[in-house]
Amino acid sequence: MSDTSPRKTALDATHRALGATMTDFAGWDMPLRYGSEREEHTAVRERAGLFDLSHMGEITVTGPQAAPFLDHALVGNMGSIGVGRARYTMICAEDGGILDDLIVYRPAESRYLVVANASNAQTVLDELNRRSEGFDTEVRDDREAYALLAIQGPASPKILASVTDADLDGLKYYAGLPGTVAGVPAMIARTGYTGEDGFELFVDPADAAKLWEALLAAGTGEGLVPCGLACRDTLRLEAGMPLYGHELTASLTPFDAGLGRVVKFDKTANDGRFVGREALAAAAGRADAKPPRKLVGLVAEGRRVPRAGYAVVADGEVIGEVTSGAPSPTVGKPIAMAYVDAAHAAPGTPGVGVDIRGSHEPYEVVALPFYKRRK
């Protein structure tokens, strides 16, 4: 009989010792919150928060043809990523549907680190292996090789600088470098999913607990707190960042999601061919001729919270659907992202509401994101 219990990260005992409320997320036992998710959210916006993201899926791609292989397998131009840099991209099916959104790091000339969402990691791994046929490259499942910690918020550079001699000032957004943090070897990346400045630290799972404790100790005077997945979701929602399974699905192309910019038709590798190219070119043409439903922000006039799947309405007609919704600690009102008909997508469009259990609650259409940090 197979074991269907959730997988545990290297920090499981640490989370439980801190009194975290745990939840099954994508087959992993993960901390949902340690106390108040509102306080954790506010800490990241105003000070700093520490996250365990070890459920994410790391896949290493190496070999002489690693770059042209990834140009074939993914929609972005992976060969143009500089060594030490990273890029947001997607892997799509032949029909153009989004299988996952990814961050791809290039630590060395012939080595890439593909980071997939936990819920899609096996799908991405299987697809990369299938698509690697004919390329001189190796696709390796490295999910067991890494623990991933993230420190996010305006105080995160100061806190991290106190425990590393890595050049954080010279580390640009969407870049990474090898370094040592509190005596622990790490790949330090200036990436994140909160809308704040911050860092993600890829380390050996055996070193995760030591690093977690060292970072919490270093951040004591700066207000650093441990944070769970609940506030990670409200932070990314305020920042207008899409979540797979909500704003991104296999039934949507990047053009449907308003993210057609990640698709690069001008790639030179493989004579410009890549998986899904024909379908994506057709989707781009349709989007130019008749824009699909657009992803917009909605801010409640009242206090009722919209949830994914709720209908967006105007003049008694359904004009769209909520993809994510939650109370916003920063905005001070319930907010949502939703796909709505283009005719109702302009900020300030009157008469738009959300059907919440039969009651049409008024909402203001706003441009995304809801929150943007001051540089």
Side-chain angles (χ1 to χ4, degrees):
M1 183 179 294
S2 61
D3 183 5
T4 59
S5 59
R7 299 171 68 181
K8 300 184 187 309
T9 78
L11 291 164
D12 184 74
T14 301
H15 300 316
R16 295 175 189 280
L18 289 169
T21 299
M22 306 296 286
T23 188
D24 184 343
F25 182 81
W28 290 82
D29 213 8
M30 297 296 295
L32 185 65
R33 68 181 69 85
Y34 297 85
S36 162
E37 58 194 68
R38 175 178 287 269
E39 290 177 5
E40 292 172 21
H41 179 112
T42 301
V44 175
R45 286 279 178 259
E46 298 179 356
R47 303 181 303 279
L50 182 61
F51 297 83
D52 177 12
L53 305 180
S54 302
H55 60 311
M56 301 295 281
E58 294 89 2
I59 302 163
T60 299
V61 176
T62 56
Q65 291 189 300
F69 158 61
L70 288 174
D71 276 335
H72 161 74
L74 309 180
V75 302
N77 190 339
M78 300 295 101
S80 68
I81 302 174
V83 173
R85 301 306 301 268
R87 185 165 296 162
Y88 177 79
T89 189
M90 294 180 183
I91 182 169
C92 290
E94 287 282 5
D95 66 2
I98 303 167
L99 298 178
D100 201 14
D101 62 333
L102 313 164
I103 295 181
V104 178
Y105 300 86
R106 192 176 192 174
E109 184 68 27
S110 299
R111 179 162 60 92
Y112 292 80
L113 180 64
V114 178
V115 181
N117 286 294
S119 57
N120 296 327
Q122 189 63 49
T123 296
V124 174
L125 178 66
D126 291 345
E127 278 296 314
L128 290 179
N129 272 313
R130 186 175 67 82
R131 297 177 187 189
S132 67
E133 185 176 351
F135 289 91
D136 186 4
T137 189
E138 178 189 358
V139 176
R140 187 174 70 236
D141 181 0
D142 268 350
R143 285 176 287 180
E144 299 290 344
Y146 291 103
L148 177 57
L149 281 63
I151 179 168
Q152 299 279 300
S156 59
K158 181 179 179 181
I159 295 168
L160 189 59
S162 72
V163 289
T164 184
D165 57 4
D167 179 18
L168 301 184
D169 289 339
L171 186 62
K172 297 178 180 179
Y173 187 49
Y174 267 68
L177 80 171
T180 301
V181 182
V184 172
M187 185 179 89
I188 306 167
R190 202 162 205 155
T191 45
Y193 194 52
T194 63
E196 299 296 340
D197 191 11
F199 305 87
E200 295 181 316
L201 309 172
F202 296 82
V203 301
D204 189 307
D207 293 325
K210 174 185 175 182
L211 181 56
W212 178 277
E213 295 298 337
L215 289 169
L216 279 185
T220 299
E222 300 296 330
L224 175 69
V225 301
C227 294
L229 295 182
C231 83
R232 178 172 155 88
D233 189 51
T234 53
L235 288 160
R236 71 91 194 168
L237 175 56
E238 287 183 350
M241 294 178 168
L243 175 64
Y244 196 88
H246 291 255
E247 289 73 41
L248 308 175
T249 70
S251 64
L252 296 173
T253 72
F255 295 95
D256 297 322
L259 292 167
R261 64 182 182 275
V262 307
V263 181
K264 303 302 180 184
F265 293 113
D266 59 351
K267 297 192 263 191
T268 57
N270 314 306
D271 296 322
R273 297 188 303 273
F274 59 92
V275 177
R277 182 190 173 98
E278 289 75 15
L280 290 168
R286 290 194 302 270
D288 287 340
K290 182 185 177 184
R293 282 184 166 178
K294 293 185 177 180
L295 188 65
V296 302
L298 299 174
V299 177
E301 293 184 16
R303 308 305 305 174
R304 299 191 72 183
V305 179
R307 298 298 183 190
Y310 285 11
V312 182
V313 295
D315 300 322
E317 300 291 328
V318 175
I319 61 161
E321 183 176 303
V322 171
T323 54
S324 297
S328 167
T330 306
V331 177
K333 297 178 181 180
I335 61 172
M337 288 197 283
Y339 283 110
V340 303
D341 295 342
H344 296 86
T349 299
V352 174
V354 176
D355 186 338
I356 301 180
R357 297 188 179 90
S359 174
H360 290 188
E361 301 291 328
Y363 272 73
E364 179 187 1
V365 180
V366 300
L368 292 170
F370 302 96
Y371 166 84
K372 186 177 290 186
R373 70 181 175 92
R374 293 188 297 272
K375 300 296 184 181

